Amino acid sequence: MIVNRLTVDGKDYFLPEPVTELRTKILEAVKAGGGYVNIPPLRGGPGVDILFSPGMPVVWTQIDVGGDGSADSGIVEPDADLDSL
């Protein structure tokens, strides 16, 4: 199972797959000069609204928690860097 870690301004949020739509919403908010995006919880509940703005530190990390016994760290590099906006 892949779990996505979204780090926003030093705080971590853990999200299940898929996150494509959420990533798009965050990118659109940043490109628009700022905006609120709802970050859903890992398990049930209303989530949290975060105000994303240009220059805000945002990091995506994918973690494989499948437990297949492999020796790698389970961290998959993100495919997009929102800090570059």
Side-chain angles (χ1 to χ4, degrees):
M1 177 170 95
I2 297 291
V3 174
N4 294 277
R5 180 175 64 193
L6 170 63
T7 305
V8 181
D9 204 23
K11 295 182 183 177
D12 291 331
Y13 302 90
F14 294 92
L15 310 160
E17 286 285 334
V19 294
T20 306
E21 184 179 341
L22 178 61
R23 289 175 70 118
T24 300
K25 288 179 181 178
I26 292 170
L27 192 56
E28 288 172 357
V30 171
K31 285 181 178 179
Y36 283 96
V37 176
N38 184 271
I39 306 302
L42 187 57
R43 294 189 179 125
V48 61
D49 290 331
I50 298 176
L51 177 60
F52 288 87
S53 60
M56 174 184 270
V58 175
V59 178
W60 284 93
T61 307
Q62 289 185 328
I63 303 168
D64 183 356
V65 292
D68 64 358
S70 65
D72 69 47
S73 68
I75 296 177
V76 178
E77 290 299 320
D79 59 316
D81 183 7
L82 295 178
D83 289 335
S84 65
L85 297 177

